[in-house]
Amino acid sequence: MTITSARPSTPTAPPAKFPLAGLLALAVATFLSISGEMLPTGLLPEMSSELGVSESSIGLLVSVFAFTVVLTSTTLTHLTRRLPRHLLIVGLIVVLAISAGLTAIAPTYELVVASRILGGLAHGTFWAIGGAYAAHLVPREQVGRALAVAMSGGTLAFVLGVPLGTAAGQALGWRPAFGLLAALMAVGAVLVWRLLPPVPTPADGAEEARAADHDRTRPADADADADATEAATTMVPATGSVPIVPTRASSAPRRRGSLPKPSVLGVVFSCVITAVFMVGHYSFFTFIAPYLVRSTGIAESSLSAALFAFGIAGGVGLLMVGWFLGKRPRISIPIGIGVVAVSVFAMMAFEGQPTPSLIAFVVWGVTFGALPPLFQTRMLQVAPAKMRDLASAFYTTGFNAGIGGGALIGAIVLDGAGLDALPVLYIVVAVVVLGLVLATDRVLAVRSARS
């Protein structure tokens, strides 16, 4: 890598083109991956009847998948760190396709479980590498936008993927539904292979060196002035990577609101905060159906429409991340957590009043749609380039542990204290997380100012 001083007569490298096509292909793969993870929840009667097991046993297929992710994603990400990222991510999608295909033809419940474990192995590594891959393609200031595009498939899977998969399973049978999913995953692998730009393997040192030079020359106030055009240096990265044009000299003093310096501590803070927040969210959301019926007074037959509205609202929140929220996650995250707490409180306060309760529910959906990508954006912004993949694996582990732990804690609270205690628990957790966010941001800012 060479660094040349910018002079009026010396043309600087043009800004890198945003890799939209590749990120959309990654979003398609994400959509199919999440759809495959959650598909058994919509096909409980069909699968239990044919496989000769209880519906709760079919429900455990989702748990098996999720806990496989929790237990293996970090280790597998570390073990595959020297493999080419592009080849690896395509291979993981192929494994997901094989898993879905094996589920479609498995003659016994035990073999279905085995196929789900195979899918969980690939899914956790795919999510860990997918988020980091998107971050490797763009400068730090565009990480939020890149993640919003690449991870949009996750939100759309809950909005459209699971309902469409359930409809296909009910119309054609659960085995053809998984077979169709396997075929679509194979198509998704081809799209990613053709459209997603390659990035250097972190272990070869190219990406680390590029990012290290970027961090040295990147101004402290770039987060606040991301659109500035004055360039003090031009960096020419290795062939195939994304050129980055810093905005000012590295000697500029740090300003309030600037990005903290990358550190392992920042990654730890981000993953812990994400896990705790997910525990609070899923302790309530897992049992939202009975609460929603009572809170809003809607009929059970209308629950699907209400949940669909929640999913659409989450998609709006995701778009807001790509549009403007992702540029300043340090501000957006505390505001989002506060809005979540207020929205859930409003659902409690307006219980029995359908209109305000549903409005509060939809607002909650918007903010929850924005918060996970904001958490991941913040984590990748503070992660050293050499450990972005590993950091994403820890994030994935924390996220899935929060889902499983939240559902378990919610069930315990429901049995012990009743349905009314669940939103209260969520609000308490949200307040705790808000305090953690403010405190850890302060710690990272102080550490960056001293270094």
Side-chain angles (χ1 to χ4, degrees):
M1 179 180 295
T2 60
I3 302 179
T4 59
S5 298
R7 299 181 179 87
S9 59
T10 302
T12 60
K17 182 179 179 181
F18 190 75
L20 181 60
L23 291 172
L24 287 175
L26 196 58
V28 169
T30 303
F31 173 86
L32 296 171
S33 178
I34 292 292
S35 297
E37 178 183 12
M38 303 305 297
L39 185 55
T41 62
L43 301 173
L44 296 181
E46 293 83 0
M47 295 183 71
S48 65
S49 176
E50 183 173 340
L51 293 172
V53 296
S54 66
E55 291 188 1
S56 61
S57 296
I58 300 299
L60 285 177
L61 294 176
V62 177
S63 300
V64 166
F65 196 101
F67 281 111
T68 301
V69 171
V70 170
L71 294 174
T72 65
S73 61
T74 300
T75 300
L76 289 178
T77 300
H78 178 71
L79 292 176
T80 58
R81 68 191 184 281
R82 297 186 183 277
L83 296 178
R85 302 290 90 181
H86 190 266
L87 176 63
L88 178 59
I89 206 164
V90 172
L92 290 170
I93 300 170
V94 171
V95 173
L96 286 168
I98 294 172
S99 170
L102 291 175
T103 301
I105 63 175
T108 66
Y109 176 77
E110 290 75 17
L111 290 177
V112 172
V113 171
S115 71
R116 296 291 289 177
I117 292 174
L118 176 64
L121 291 171
H123 180 81
T125 312
F126 170 77
W127 267 86
I129 293 174
Y133 201 111
H136 285 316
L137 290 173
V138 297
R140 289 178 77 194
E141 294 78 16
Q142 293 184 357
V143 166
R145 182 184 175 195
L147 281 176
V149 175
M151 299 295 106
S152 62
T155 297
L156 291 177
F158 286 104
V159 176
L160 296 176
V162 175
L164 289 176
T166 300
Q170 292 173 344
L172 305 174
W174 69 270
R175 292 186 184 276
F178 275 99
L180 177 61
L181 178 65
L184 291 175
M185 285 178 170
V187 174
V190 174
L191 289 176
V192 170
W193 174 57
R194 295 298 302 271
L195 299 177
L196 189 66
V199 298
T201 303
D204 67 10
E207 176 69 11
E208 178 182 353
R210 180 175 72 85
D213 284 342
H214 180 214
D215 287 339
R216 283 197 299 269
T217 57
R218 186 184 180 280
D221 60 344
D223 190 37
D225 299 315
D227 297 328
T229 56
E230 179 183 356
T233 59
T234 300
M235 297 166 49
V236 183
T239 302
S241 58
V242 179
I244 299 173
V245 182
T247 57
R248 293 183 193 155
S250 59
S251 59
R254 296 189 62 84
R255 285 167 43 177
R256 183 178 180 85
S258 62
L259 288 173
K261 290 187 176 180
S263 66
V264 175
L265 183 62
V267 173
V268 173
F269 284 161
S270 295
C271 293
V272 170
I273 286 170
T274 300
V276 175
F277 182 80
M278 290 300 114
V279 166
H281 179 80
Y282 281 95
S283 67
F284 183 31
F285 192 76
T286 302
F287 307 97
I288 191 61
Y291 187 87
L292 200 59
V293 169
R294 195 187 71 182
S295 174
T296 64
I298 63 175
E300 290 188 7
S301 59
S302 301
L303 271 176
S304 58
L307 293 175
F308 185 81
F310 187 91
I312 292 293
V316 172
L318 189 66
L319 291 175
M320 291 170 65
V321 173
W323 184 19
F324 62 92
L325 293 179
K327 296 179 181 179
R328 292 174 175 82
R330 187 177 181 182
I331 298 174
S332 302
I333 289 174
I335 292 175
I337 295 172
V339 173
V340 163
V342 172
S343 300
V344 174
F345 178 80
M347 289 182 64
M348 297 172 57
F350 293 111
E351 183 173 335
Q353 304 178 50
T355 299
S357 293
L358 285 173
I359 290 175
F361 182 61
V362 170
V363 172
W364 174 21
V366 172
T367 51
F368 180 72
L371 280 171
L374 285 174
F375 284 142
Q376 190 172 22
T377 297
R378 187 62 170 169
M379 183 274 295
L380 289 171
Q381 285 180 338
V382 300
K386 64 182 179 181
M387 66 168 295
R388 274 180 174 172
D389 288 351
L390 188 59
S392 289
F394 281 120
Y395 175 87
T396 301
T397 299
F399 195 97
N400 282 274
I403 293 174
L408 177 61
I409 292 174
I412 294 172
V413 172
L414 179 63
D415 290 339
L419 196 60
D420 289 330
L422 295 180
V424 176
L425 173 62
Y426 190 10
I427 292 172
V428 170
V429 172
V431 172
V432 170
V433 171
L434 179 59
L436 288 174
V437 168
L438 297 177
T440 55
D441 274 355
R442 177 61 179 168
V443 170
L444 294 178
V446 171
R447 283 169 56 93
S448 295
R450 289 177 178 175
S451 59

